[in-house]
Amino acid sequence: MKLLPLFLRRPIEAVYERRLAATLAGLPRPQHVGIMLDGNRRWARQAGHADVREGYRAGGAKVTEFLGWCTAAGIEHVTLFMLSDDNLGRPAEELGPLIEIIEETIRDITAEGRRWEVQVIGSLDMLPGAGAQVLKDAAAVTAGRGGLKVDVAVGYGGRREIVDAVKSAFEEHMAAGGDAAELVERFDIGDISRHLYSPTAAHTDFIIRTSGEQRLSGFLLWQSAYAEMHWVDCYWPAFRHVDFLRALRSYANRQRRFGK
């Protein structure tokens, strides 16, 4: 089937988008959305770019646009999965430019005038060079801004986060003069939740992954216990507002049972 020319397709898509947005009025919305920004390299190759960094640049630009959509939709908290701890094992010639693009993206979303409160989470001490400090400094200027809360997961692994939370809980208890055996006796779910990288995000409502892959890959393992999942076939740089609205419609049409 022959596709409509672009100049005809865009107005039709705009009408459809407005109608879709109207159907969401008054329906349940997720408070905390986690999104896996997957498929940047594949998008670059598909688009004919010899340098896959073009995919990362396009993906970084999409982040600002996406956060604007979330703000307009009334979502309170977003976690962006930008770099896993496994990704830190990539060759230096690939990892270095990728971290530079992440730094550029974070500088953009933390710029003056943005109404987003940003923090960077993950094993930042594993980043090469001064990357960790650059990211922390950029995010620090947003403290107290209010508005959409944004966690940017860099060098992040869900299993590592749980291990770090357990260690942090024990360190806090011992520093206060407590006995380790006592903590073992009363240790429960709340002790881990309070010591996650972002404690206010202990529960995630909705996780979106682009690129067509259907797995968590270590993303928000603790927080996603009752999260709804949504898989999108397009690559992250090609993710559109209409794809986001469809994801929200999918969430609104689900019955959340929380194991009951």
Side-chain angles (χ1 to χ4, degrees):
M1 183 177 175
K2 193 172 181 180
L3 289 175
L4 288 171
L6 188 60
F7 75 92
L8 290 176
R9 196 161 70 241
R10 280 182 173 168
I12 293 172
E13 288 178 350
V15 171
Y16 169 69
E17 189 175 311
R18 286 195 297 271
R19 289 180 177 175
L20 179 55
T23 66
L24 295 172
L27 296 180
R29 300 284 175 91
Q31 292 181 341
H32 179 200
V33 174
I35 184 159
M36 307 174 72
L37 319 181
D38 197 21
N40 296 288
R41 290 185 296 179
R42 282 169 282 174
W43 178 88
R45 295 188 187 106
Q46 188 180 74
H49 295 292
D51 189 346
V52 296
R53 286 178 293 186
E54 293 304 317
Y56 292 124
R57 290 191 182 97
K62 179 66 65 174
V63 167
T64 303
E65 192 175 7
F66 175 74
L67 295 180
W69 301 339
C70 290
T71 300
I75 290 165
E76 298 176 2
H77 197 146
V78 172
T79 299
L80 305 163
F81 196 12
M82 296 192 73
L83 185 74
S84 74
D85 53 352
D86 292 331
N87 295 154
L88 295 174
R90 290 180 180 177
E93 60 271 19
E94 180 180 346
L95 183 60
L98 173 53
I99 291 177
E100 288 178 7
I101 292 168
I102 291 173
E103 291 172 1
E104 291 171 8
T105 302
I106 291 180
R107 279 194 287 266
D108 184 22
I109 67 174
T110 59
E112 187 176 355
R114 303 286 194 202
R115 291 292 298 164
W116 304 324
E117 193 163 326
V118 180
Q119 71 168 338
V120 184
I121 63 173
S123 300
L124 300 182
D125 57 321
M126 296 174 64
L127 297 181
Q133 197 58 50
V134 170
L135 297 178
K136 288 177 183 177
D137 290 346
V141 302
T142 71
R145 279 187 183 174
L148 178 68
K149 180 172 173 53
V150 182
D151 291 333
V152 184
V154 180
Y156 173 89
R159 290 180 293 186
R160 188 182 301 275
E161 179 179 29
I162 294 169
V163 170
D164 286 347
V166 173
K167 287 181 177 178
S168 178
F170 271 85
E171 288 170 354
E172 180 183 80
H173 182 74
M174 301 292 284
D179 178 69
E182 174 194 348
L183 182 58
V184 169
E185 181 66 26
R186 66 165 181 79
F187 198 81
D188 63 13
I189 290 172
D191 289 295
I192 292 181
S193 294
R194 285 191 299 274
H195 289 86
L196 296 172
Y197 296 147
S198 181
T200 59
H203 302 288
T204 305
D205 303 301
F206 196 36
I207 292 179
I208 301 170
R209 180 170 186 163
T210 58
S211 85
E213 303 290 351
Q214 298 186 12
R215 60 181 184 274
L216 283 175
S217 300
F219 183 47
L220 300 178
L221 294 181
W222 182 267
Q223 299 89 329
S224 64
Y226 292 106
E228 301 293 331
M229 309 292 177
H230 185 78
W231 319 112
V232 186
D233 286 335
C234 69
Y235 300 133
W236 169 246
F239 189 69
R240 303 166 299 167
H241 188 215
V242 70
D243 298 313
F244 176 64
L245 294 175
R246 285 170 175 162
L248 294 183
R249 180 179 62 185
S250 173
Y251 177 86
N253 289 334
R254 302 185 192 189
Q255 284 190 321
R256 306 194 69 200
R257 302 183 185 279
F258 301 97
K260 298 177 182 178

